Amino acid sequence: MKRTDSQMKITDSVVLGGEKPVLFAGPCAVESYDICLEIGTKVKEWAEENGFSYVFKASFDKANRTSSGSFRSIGMDKSLEVLQRVGQALNIPLVTDIHESYQAKEVAEVVDVLQIPAFLCRQTDLLIAAAETGRAVKIKRGQFMAPEDMQFAVKKVRSAGNENVCLTERGFSLGYHNLVVDMRGLPIMRQFAPVVFDITHSVQQPGGQGGTSGGQREFAPFLARAAASTGIDGFFIETHPEPAKALSDGPNLIPLHRMGDFLSMLKDSWTLGRKFQDFKIE
């Protein structure tokens, strides 16, 4: 199985598919500038200590909440302003989700990477709109998609003249309220583009708490080590100082005070995985 040699350039110094793993991390949603800055400051320090390139992540709108009564956003304009301020204060690149084609251009003026949510990975107009901004495009694999079929999402982005694209694994639906990660999908998708492993949403239980999603963060270290050992290119982690008080996805979030140790563990597993990434049995 031949892996791709393609890379996703985020900035001149941050490249997915290069010699350093890239960490996409932050709170699930933009809650406030203070929380985002606190998380970004600490994660940036730990990322640098452990040899990760760092991209700050937070969603400006949680458009696919289980219930209409759940928190969605502090507003698009306010959220984008917070993201911009955090990026400037910490001198780091940014990633956030888009859900509608019309959002692509405005959001691309603020962030460096446009993330396509898993449920929308087949939406041609959305993928093309994201690609046409010239920003890097990060596509999450839909819970209903075969890994090999994600090559067509990549081709849609590249058809618009944008080579800066990657794929993200976040588990597939097995029954109700349950996600399972098929580790075979990581090398399969890596034939088409660089691959990121979404640690947070792989332990999510969609809709599993009767109107809200649950999660099993206790399994995050095990899945993270397994994915890292395949030698993939990056990791996606959501974190919060107080997960129980987070406005979105609290049960899945890694407590902020554990992130330093988590990244140290992750880097050790990734280094071992890269050492053996060319070992094959045909």
Side-chain angles (χ1 to χ4, degrees):
M1 187 175 296
K2 184 179 180 180
R3 64 185 178 86
T4 181
D5 293 325
S6 65
Q7 296 180 333
M8 185 177 85
K9 183 179 179 180
I10 299 170
T11 67
D12 288 340
S13 59
V14 179
V15 178
L16 185 70
E19 295 303 312
K20 292 176 64 175
V22 176
L23 173 68
F24 302 84
C28 180
V30 175
E31 298 181 8
S32 71
Y33 174 71
D34 290 342
I35 288 178
C36 287
L37 184 64
E38 176 187 357
I39 293 172
T41 299
K42 292 181 178 178
V43 174
K44 179 184 179 183
E45 178 183 347
W46 291 321
E48 290 176 349
E49 287 178 356
N50 288 285
F52 290 87
S53 295
Y54 178 44
V55 180
F56 179 82
K57 180 271 166 187
S59 297
F60 73 84
D61 179 26
K62 303 304 295 182
N64 62 347
R65 302 305 304 272
T66 303
S67 169
S68 62
S70 297
F71 170 82
R72 277 190 61 167
S73 174
I74 61 173
M76 182 173 181
D77 291 342
K78 289 183 178 179
S79 294
L80 292 178
E81 180 185 357
V82 167
L83 287 170
Q84 188 171 48
R85 290 175 63 193
V86 170
Q88 291 173 346
L90 300 179
N91 191 29
I92 51 177
L94 306 166
V95 59
T96 196
D97 317 77
I98 59 171
H99 302 87
E100 304 279 355
S101 298
Y102 75 85
Q103 296 172 339
K105 184 176 180 180
E106 182 177 355
V107 175
E109 293 176 357
V110 175
V111 307
D112 305 272
V113 183
L114 297 175
Q115 180 168 275
I116 307 300
F119 288 127
L120 302 177
C121 69
R122 287 172 56 102
Q123 297 296 100
T124 302
D125 290 346
L126 183 63
L127 290 165
I128 297 298
E132 288 179 342
T133 67
R135 295 299 192 185
V137 181
K138 180 176 178 291
I139 311 170
K140 288 195 174 185
R141 185 185 66 79
Q143 299 92 322
F144 46 86
M145 291 286 289
E148 58 270 23
D149 290 343
M150 291 304 295
Q151 65 180 295
F152 302 109
V154 171
K155 289 178 179 178
K156 288 178 182 180
V157 172
R158 290 179 175 157
S159 73
N162 190 336
E163 295 294 323
N164 285 318
V165 58
C166 74
L167 294 171
T168 299
E169 172 60 42
R170 54 83 40 91
F172 68 90
S173 297
L174 183 66
Y176 302 117
H177 308 315
N178 194 40
L179 296 171
V180 172
V181 178
D182 180 357
M183 292 294 168
R184 295 174 299 179
L186 299 174
I188 290 173
M189 291 195 299
R190 205 157 176 251
Q191 297 175 96
F192 317 124
V195 169
V196 174
F197 182 60
D198 181 346
I199 296 166
T200 297
H201 294 97
S202 293
V203 297
Q204 186 186 55
Q205 295 175 308
Q209 292 187 341
T212 62
S213 292
Q216 296 176 305
R217 72 167 65 93
E218 64 270 24
F219 292 115
F222 301 99
L223 292 180
R225 289 198 298 268
S229 68
T230 68
I232 55 172
D233 306 289
F235 304 91
F236 178 100
I237 309 174
E238 291 178 345
T239 182
H240 196 279
E242 298 182 87
K245 295 182 180 180
L247 299 181
S248 179
D249 272 357
N252 315 322
L253 306 182
I254 303 300
L256 182 60
H257 72 275
R258 296 303 309 278
M259 278 292 288
D261 292 337
F262 198 100
L263 294 179
S264 177
M265 171 199 72
L266 197 57
K267 183 60 183 302
D268 285 347
S269 297
W270 182 86
T271 300
L272 183 63
R274 277 299 173 103
K275 180 179 178 180
F276 294 106
Q277 68 175 335
D278 293 323
F279 180 83
K280 295 180 177 64
I281 298 177
E282 301 295 343

